[in-house]
Amino acid sequence: MQSLKTIGPISSKSLFEALKCYSRTRDYCSTPKHILDMCLNVTKVSIEQRNFSHVYVIKIESTPNPSAGSTSSSATASAPTTGNAPSAAAVDAARMLLLAKLRACMGLVHLDAGKYKMAARTFLGVGPEIIGKYTEVLSGADIVNYISLLALATLILLDSSSFKQFLELADPSLRENVLGGFYAARYGVCLDALERLKTSFLLDMYLNSQVPHLYSLIHRRAIVAYILPFEAVDMRKMCTQFGGSVSPLETEIAQLIGGGIVKARIDSHNKSDDRASLFDKTLQMGEDLMRQDVYVEPGGAQHDGPLERGPSERDRGEGRHMERVMR
């Protein structure tokens, strides 16, 4: 088995051959550590091939106590040991690193499938132990890039304590202008910074195919967030925030209204998203009905003043009964 493990890296120029060599070790796996090494190697090559169906995350998770026998992680190698057995701290460090690797791989699977919300939550679960320990697949800076774009596209709450540690690895423009601009309602600053960072995102082998869709979602989220606090919005002023001309902005807002995302109507003459007049007109109609003092009877006759309720059939019957009793 060890000879086949060494063949894998030699054949890395041909990923198919490397995957075949690593897969052959499956027949020689006799311990949890062997299974773990085989799955991690197959997962690494499969991700390189963009063949995410071979990512063995579930198989690794089902391996009994896989991290206890793993000596491949730097955490186990650097932690103190007692005799020949790794210490409890070393085992725990290896387990945390393994979990971080598994979540990172699963996040890439969700990202490739376009499941952005699941990908964001999975990446948020990646611990800081992975920083500098899994660079053959992705780095800590890659993770913070994915989390930032996915969070803005899906409005996932960035409530992970470990995200702050990843955020220190981010590009300052991403941290201060993209995230800071969006959450401070400076959407123009956010979108401008995203455009400057677009080239670097397109160079990411896992992210490049998702960049156009993610950018479109973020732009729509920014428009919705800009409109919601106001009763009426001037699209000419919006163009100073979002850039471009009024016509494409009007088209995008019309699509949001048609999809039920924004409840408003567009004043095409004045180029405004006028919800205030719609609300005012509805309220005025209700007030007019409340104050109305002209009533129409079933026969068509009208009279002013409050309508007096006449005796019902039941009342007239009870009146005739009382009259007979009195006689």
Side-chain angles (χ1 to χ4, degrees):
M1 177 175 175
Q2 188 63 31
S3 61
L4 288 174
K5 283 178 63 179
T6 57
I7 290 174
I10 295 174
S11 305
S12 59
K13 292 183 180 179
S14 173
L15 295 176
F16 177 77
E17 291 297 325
L19 182 60
K20 184 167 65 174
C21 292
Y22 284 135
S23 299
R24 285 176 181 172
T25 64
R26 186 181 313 173
D27 298 331
Y28 303 93
C29 294
S30 57
T31 66
K33 177 185 178 300
H34 293 164
I35 297 174
L36 173 64
D37 289 339
M38 181 271 296
C39 292
L40 286 176
N41 288 330
V42 171
T43 295
K44 190 186 306 181
V45 177
S46 299
I47 289 176
E48 190 76 19
Q49 287 182 312
R50 304 297 301 276
N51 184 9
F52 291 97
S53 61
H54 280 85
V55 175
Y56 285 176
V57 173
I58 298 177
K59 189 173 183 62
I60 296 173
E61 290 177 333
S62 63
T63 302
N65 198 16
S67 60
S70 174
T71 58
S72 59
S73 68
S74 58
T76 303
S78 61
T81 59
T82 305
N84 294 326
S87 66
V91 172
D92 187 61
R95 182 181 64 84
M96 296 301 294
L97 179 58
L98 175 60
L99 288 176
K101 289 181 178 180
L102 295 181
R103 287 168 180 160
C105 292
M106 206 63 218
L108 292 176
V109 173
H110 292 319
L111 177 62
D112 184 76
K115 300 176 181 178
Y116 298 142
K117 189 167 289 189
M118 293 180 66
R121 288 173 177 159
T122 305
F123 280 124
L124 281 172
V126 177
E129 301 83 12
I130 201 174
I131 297 176
K133 305 289 180 59
Y134 207 35
T135 52
E136 64 270 24
V137 176
L138 76 174
S139 65
D142 295 331
I143 293 176
V144 74
N145 289 341
Y146 304 155
I147 293 176
S148 300
L149 293 181
L150 292 169
L152 294 180
T154 60
L155 295 184
I156 287 289
L157 184 62
L158 298 175
D159 56 352
S160 173
S161 58
S162 62
F163 179 66
K164 294 181 180 179
Q165 299 184 48
F166 284 107
L167 201 57
E168 296 176 359
L169 307 174
D171 186 297
S173 181
L174 178 69
R175 183 173 58 246
E176 298 169 6
N177 296 330
V178 176
L179 293 176
F182 189 92
Y183 292 115
R186 295 182 290 120
Y187 304 112
V189 173
C190 170
L191 297 176
D192 289 343
L194 278 176
E195 284 301 319
R196 291 193 296 270
L197 293 170
K198 189 173 185 178
T199 302
S200 63
F201 292 149
L202 289 172
L203 293 174
D204 189 303
M205 62 180 293
Y206 309 123
L207 188 62
N208 55 7
S209 61
Q210 309 293 335
V211 167
H213 191 203
L214 286 172
Y215 269 52
S216 176
L217 288 176
I218 293 171
H219 193 264
R220 291 180 63 183
R221 299 286 188 190
I223 290 177
V224 172
Y226 183 93
I227 291 175
L228 282 180
F230 301 102
E231 292 185 347
V233 178
D234 191 331
M235 282 186 278
R236 289 180 290 261
K237 293 182 179 179
M238 283 187 68
C239 288
T240 62
Q241 277 279 340
F242 293 91
S245 59
V246 173
S247 181
L249 182 62
E250 182 178 353
T251 302
E252 191 161 5
I253 293 176
Q255 291 174 352
L256 294 173
I257 294 173
I261 300 173
V262 175
K263 299 186 182 300
R265 66 178 185 176
I266 298 175
D267 185 350
S268 298
H269 178 71
N270 295 318
K271 300 299 179 186
S272 65
D273 169 15
D274 190 6
R275 291 182 293 171
S277 61
L278 178 62
F279 295 154
D280 292 342
K281 184 177 179 181
T282 304
L283 291 173
Q284 187 62 42
M285 290 175 62
E287 291 175 359
D288 291 344
L289 289 174
M290 294 291 292
R291 291 195 301 263
Q292 188 174 3
D293 57 355
V294 176
Y295 299 90
V296 180
E297 293 182 350
Q302 296 184 0
H303 64 84
D304 296 334
L307 185 64
E308 295 182 358
R309 177 178 174 271
S312 65
E313 189 68 29
R314 180 181 175 183
D315 294 339
R316 288 194 293 269
E318 291 179 353
R320 288 193 295 269
H321 175 70
M322 290 297 295
E323 184 178 357
R324 287 196 298 271
V325 170
M326 292 177 67
R327 287 178 182 176

